[in-house]
Amino acid sequence: MKNHQLLVLLLLFGLPIWAQQAVEKPTNSVFEIKNPDFKLSPETGMTKQHWKDAAMYLLEGAFGYIHSLDDPMKFPKQEGKSYPQDESKVPTEKLEGLCRTLFVAAPLLKENPELVINNIKVADYYRHQITQLTNPKSASYIVPRSKNGGPSQNLVEFGALSISLLVNPEVLWNPLTQEQKDALAKSMLSYGDGPTVNSNWKFFNIFVLSFFKQHGYAVNEKLLVEYLDKSLLDYRGNGWYNDSPAYDYYSMWAFQMYGMMWSEYFGKKYYPEYAAKFEKNFSDLNNNYPYLFSENGEMIVWGRSMSYRVGAVIPFPLMGFQKDASINYGWMRRIASGVIKQFFTHPDFMQDNVPTLGVYGPFEPAVQIYSCRGSVYWMGKIFFGLLVPDDNPFWTAKENNGAWETEFRKNKVYNKFQGISEILITDYPNIGASEVRAWCNAKVKDDWQKFRSTENYNRLSYNSAFLWQADGENGEVAMNYVIKNKSDKWEAFRLYNFKKFEDGIYYRDVVLETDANVKFNLADIPLANGILRVDKNNSTVPLAMRLGHYALPKLNGEIKTTIRKIKNHEVTIIDNGKYQLAMIPLLGWDKSEVVTAKGLHPEADESSVINLSNNYVPQKEQSTIYATLMLWKKSGEKWSDKELLAVKKIDFSSEENTVKVSFANGENKVVKY
């Protein structure tokens, strides 16, 4: 009878009977910053409320797939290498969706335990789903680790779940029955009290063991302390940890976030000496990590797990727990809010109301095989920043551009060498861009996960203004060398060995993976408007080689090409309406060309890059110097001849193994291989 009455009412008011379904169907939208506060935040307009809005934006998209407490956080698979490739991985896929969306929900539930999305009480949903992880009759059941079982993705997700339980036990843990708590403890500890991967994964065990110790369960404290010690041994100074073997965003944001969150919510009470060590390491990042972001608060696309995007800025709000007067909190919030804007307001960020795997939209070269569609919610860790109180200086300080206002001057370049980690951070005030050079030494034949040997790591440098482009089969290359190998295929350099950073010059040696006879000494010299490369080819075999500048995506119009001649040097300039890139071969090169590509760039389907090429023939007792200017400007700005031909003279001394560079502005540098 009630159903009949409802149907009559719908017909009377002219409403279609599928109206309820249509409301619940996920629709894509772009995040909008409503009522921006440009008094407190003159750069982004974003306040703590806008961060909450951003969290709701993510969570509402996810809950568009939830119509009952039993519905899993399972999302449309993105075409490509991401998992699941078969049904056996679906339970883990669901676990990822559950535990990672909870990063977004847990801080919101802390403030509003009665939160409702899509007619679902959010707290009820997560409590129900968490208890189903131990129910053998549930489709969400996770089998406990076997006695001899190794580390797995389940460990990662249970570690993630433990973080959310640790910060919001009042909503997520306390209401559970004792039987439910005991079942969760047994299952989660089977993973936490076990083997791990020698990387940031150690923290997943640490969080599981810590949470259950905090709630009165007997845990393996010896193992907990062992993993704490080993995590601290990964520290390399200046805020950087080593992620065995890589350096990337995880080396900063994951380790530092885990250490700070663990200390704040557990360590200070139970292991104060360890908490003090993690906090000391955390303090070191203030003078380094902010410089890795652009003037506009944009992050560089670099390293694995780029799909987690905004997660990289969680250390900045966590600085609020320190209440350190020496920290420029207005700059820290400006960077963090800027990165949120960078991605959340991009029209390609969402598909199916879920963030894509990629950079902005889907970008298969940046995707790893360990990711599923729900993996993207690892970015939700940024919203642990909402746990920082409203009156904290992170939220109350006026936004500013920090070093870009107070330290940097136009027509200068600024390098920050990171010491033991061998990372170089460079800032370019003329275009407001940041750049990084870092570790890469992984062979394709040993890289079973297929990411540490790829363009995610093997570029000569990574820049916030010029996102990395994937290599093409026909030798299209951006910001790297490619060599025609013995198999007649273009092979990129990836086996780099850092040598030194001296007098503003970053030195590396590199050898081709498939042929040790192909070897170079590399020297990068950052300039105010770009980079001077002075590379020495020590190869003992003939080879065809190419070198690429950064690439430009095709935006609103065609990419324009200009050729200029300056003192017998050919200058090639490309302009996409936002930036210009210029490439000037000074020594060693035969040919310059603009190469167009499709499907290789994360910002647009079409792109262009300037490539230089040479057919190298080794000469007895003589090495060949390849000197190249790789310059840039914003579109619309004019180039002077002096800017384009920034180098006046280059002299190579084979006896001293040095190159003396005389610049047009009167400066000199000596490259010492």
Side-chain angles (χ1 to χ4, degrees):
M1 181 64 182
K2 289 182 178 179
N3 289 339
H4 176 71
Q5 290 175 333
L6 176 60
L7 180 60
V8 171
L9 286 171
L10 287 170
L11 292 171
L12 282 172
F13 286 98
L15 296 174
I17 58 175
W18 57 86
Q20 180 69 23
Q21 293 174 328
V23 168
E24 293 175 353
K25 184 179 179 180
T27 55
N28 292 321
S29 61
V30 177
F31 177 66
E32 295 182 22
I33 299 170
K34 297 178 180 178
N35 302 314
D37 184 345
F38 290 111
K39 185 176 181 181
L40 179 64
S41 302
E43 304 300 331
T44 69
M46 292 185 69
T47 64
K48 189 176 186 180
Q49 181 57 52
H50 297 108
W51 281 48
K52 294 176 188 176
D53 295 344
M56 282 296 293
Y57 169 71
L58 270 192
L59 206 56
E60 286 172 347
F63 268 82
Y65 293 88
I66 306 303
H67 305 283
S68 75
L69 298 184
D70 288 319
D71 289 341
M73 281 290 180
K74 186 178 183 301
F75 311 105
K77 186 184 183 305
Q78 186 171 300
E79 183 180 349
K81 66 173 78 81
S82 63
Y83 90 90
Q85 299 290 341
D86 57 69
E87 288 298 311
S88 68
K89 298 296 183 183
V90 170
T92 303
E93 176 193 17
K94 293 177 182 177
L95 182 64
E96 282 206 39
L98 176 71
C99 297
R100 298 186 179 206
T101 56
L102 187 54
F103 289 147
V104 189
L108 294 174
L109 290 170
K110 190 89 171 175
E111 181 173 309
N112 180 15
E114 302 303 316
L115 180 65
V116 175
I117 301 178
N118 197 24
N119 298 319
I120 301 289
K121 286 196 68 174
V122 174
D124 286 351
Y125 173 78
Y126 281 105
R127 286 194 296 261
H128 174 73
Q129 284 289 322
I130 289 169
T131 59
Q132 293 309 296
L133 299 176
T134 61
N135 179 4
K137 296 180 180 179
S138 169
S140 299
Y141 177 62
I142 298 298
V143 179
R145 184 181 70 89
S146 63
K147 185 177 181 180
N148 298 317
S152 68
Q153 193 67 37
N154 291 344
L155 166 63
V156 176
E157 305 314 320
F158 277 147
L161 176 57
S162 297
I163 300 174
S164 293
L165 292 174
L166 198 64
V167 302
N168 194 354
E170 300 85 359
V171 173
L172 300 172
W173 175 258
N174 295 351
L176 304 183
T177 66
Q178 192 60 49
E179 183 180 4
Q180 290 170 332
K181 292 176 180 177
D182 292 345
L184 277 167
K186 183 178 180 181
S187 183
M188 293 174 69
L189 283 170
S190 75
Y191 289 93
D193 184 7
T196 193
V197 176
N198 185 27
S199 67
N200 70 85
W201 277 42
K202 293 186 288 287
F203 274 105
F204 304 134
N205 303 73
I206 289 168
F207 276 107
V208 172
L209 294 167
S210 298
F211 174 76
F212 286 104
K213 173 179 168 59
Q214 186 181 64
H215 287 271
Y217 288 87
V219 303
N220 187 344
E221 293 192 52
K222 182 180 178 181
L223 187 66
L224 173 57
V225 170
E226 177 187 332
Y227 286 156
L228 288 169
D229 284 328
K230 287 182 175 178
S231 295
L232 286 166
L233 286 174
D234 291 331
Y235 190 59
R236 298 293 184 270
N238 290 318
W240 294 94
Y241 287 79
N242 181 259
D243 204 23
S244 300
Y247 288 98
D248 50 31
Y249 282 114
Y250 263 147
S251 302
M252 180 66 81
W253 82 263
F255 276 93
Q256 292 288 19
M257 174 211 155
Y258 295 144
M260 194 62 174
M261 294 281 289
W262 179 84
S263 299
E264 188 69 22
Y265 286 92
F266 179 81
K268 287 180 180 178
K269 179 178 179 180
Y270 295 94
Y271 296 94
E273 291 183 5
Y274 283 96
K277 291 177 182 177
F278 282 119
E279 290 191 63
K280 182 179 182 300
N281 294 348
F282 185 87
S283 297
D284 291 345
L285 69 86
N286 177 44
N287 295 318
N288 299 278
Y289 197 44
Y291 294 81
L292 193 59
F293 298 82
S294 78
E295 183 176 6
N296 288 333
E298 296 159 328
M299 66 183 286
I300 298 170
V301 175
W302 162 53
R304 69 188 179 99
S305 301
M306 263 310 301
S307 299
Y308 306 161
R309 303 163 172 105
V310 300
V313 290
I314 180 56
F316 298 126
L318 294 186
M319 288 179 181
F321 287 135
Q322 294 183 302
K323 295 183 179 178
D324 183 346
S326 69
I327 295 174
N328 183 345
Y329 285 104
W331 187 26
M332 300 305 103
R333 193 176 76 254
R334 188 270 178 277
I335 296 171
S337 295
V339 172
I340 291 174
K341 284 186 68 173
Q342 177 184 359
F343 294 102
F344 278 47
T345 62
H346 195 283
D348 297 331
F349 177 65
M350 287 278 201
Q351 281 189 9
D352 310 308
N353 229 28
V354 176
T356 61
L357 285 167
V359 178
Y360 294 114
F363 186 55
E364 187 68 4
V367 177
Q368 281 75 60
I369 60 173
Y370 56 72
S371 289
C372 67
R373 190 65 183 277
S375 298
V376 294
Y377 292 102
W378 207 245
M379 74 176 72
K381 290 178 178 179
I382 181 58
F383 298 113
F384 284 136
L386 294 174
L387 299 170
V388 176
D390 293 0
D391 61 355
N392 189 277
F394 179 79
W395 298 115
T396 60
K398 185 177 179 179
E399 251 184 17
N400 63 80
N401 278 325
W404 298 94
E405 295 174 356
T406 60
E407 295 179 37
F408 300 158
R409 298 291 177 265
K410 296 292 185 182
N411 299 316
K412 298 286 185 181
V413 64
Y414 296 86
N415 293 308
K416 266 188 172 288
F417 183 60
Q418 303 296 291
I420 297 171
S421 66
E422 301 169 353
I423 294 169
L424 180 67
I425 298 172
T426 304
D427 293 299
Y428 298 94
N430 283 1
I431 61 168
S434 56
E435 193 172 64
V436 67
R437 291 165 177 82
W439 172 95
C440 183
N441 195 309
K443 295 181 178 180
V444 169
K445 71 181 184 69
D446 300 330
D447 187 11
W448 66 273
Q449 288 185 307
K450 298 292 182 285
F451 63 83
R452 287 197 177 101
S453 63
T454 70
E455 297 93 328
N456 293 275
Y457 290 91
N458 70 24
R459 304 296 84 175
L460 293 165
S461 56
Y462 295 85
N463 192 292
S464 63
F466 312 111
L467 276 59
W468 64 260
Q469 175 173 289
D471 294 337
E473 293 182 357
N474 298 315
E476 309 97 319
V477 61
M479 199 43 68
N480 202 355
Y481 283 92
V482 288
I483 309 295
K484 185 65 78 70
N485 64 23
K486 295 175 182 177
S487 300
D488 201 36
K489 293 182 179 179
W490 291 104
E491 179 181 336
F493 278 151
R494 61 180 66 91
L495 301 182
Y496 300 96
N497 284 302
F498 172 79
K499 304 303 289 185
K500 59 184 176 179
F501 178 67
E502 183 179 273
D503 189 28
I505 306 173
Y506 190 78
Y507 294 89
R508 287 169 288 187
D509 290 345
V510 66
V511 61
L512 193 69
E513 178 180 344
T514 62
D515 189 349
N517 295 307
V518 179
K519 48 194 174 182
F520 284 55
N521 303 131
L522 305 176
D524 302 39
I525 308 176
L527 309 173
N529 284 321
I531 303 162
L532 169 63
R533 301 206 58 79
V534 185
D535 300 329
K536 182 183 169 193
N537 186 348
N538 301 315
S539 304
T540 57
V541 293
L543 53 90
M545 55 187 281
R546 299 172 70 91
L547 170 68
H549 200 331
Y550 288 119
L552 286 181
K554 181 180 176 181
L555 300 175
N556 298 321
E558 295 297 323
I559 297 175
K560 299 177 182 177
T561 299
T562 303
I563 306 294
R564 287 170 62 171
K565 291 277 189 178
I566 306 175
K567 296 181 180 179
N568 297 319
H569 290 285
E570 184 176 276
V571 178
T572 304
I573 303 170
I574 57 175
D575 187 336
N576 72 344
K578 186 176 182 181
Y579 291 109
Q580 305 174 70
L581 295 175
M583 200 164 189
I584 304 98
L586 302 174
L587 283 177
W589 297 104
D590 298 328
K591 181 182 177 184
S592 177
E593 62 180 317
V594 176
V595 179
T596 59
K598 284 194 174 185
L600 299 181
H601 200 281
E603 286 187 274
D605 184 54
E606 296 182 43
S607 58
S608 294
V609 61
I610 309 170
N611 278 189
L612 304 181
S613 59
N614 173 246
N615 290 312
Y616 168 79
V617 179
Q619 299 179 26
K620 191 175 182 180
E621 297 181 358
Q622 183 177 348
S623 298
T624 301
I625 300 298
Y626 289 83
T628 314
L629 280 165
M630 311 165 88
L631 308 177
W632 50 69
K633 273 182 178 288
K634 292 181 179 178
S635 188
E637 296 181 355
K638 293 184 178 180
W639 296 91
S640 68
D641 286 359
K642 188 175 181 180
E643 286 175 318
L644 289 170
L645 199 59
V647 174
K648 187 176 181 181
K649 190 177 181 183
I650 298 177
D651 292 313
F652 172 57
S653 171
S654 58
E655 290 182 4
E656 299 179 2
N657 199 26
T658 61
V659 177
K660 183 179 179 181
V661 180
S662 302
F663 290 94
N665 62 6
E667 294 181 4
N668 297 294
K669 281 189 181 292
V670 179
V671 178
K672 303 174 183 178
Y673 300 111

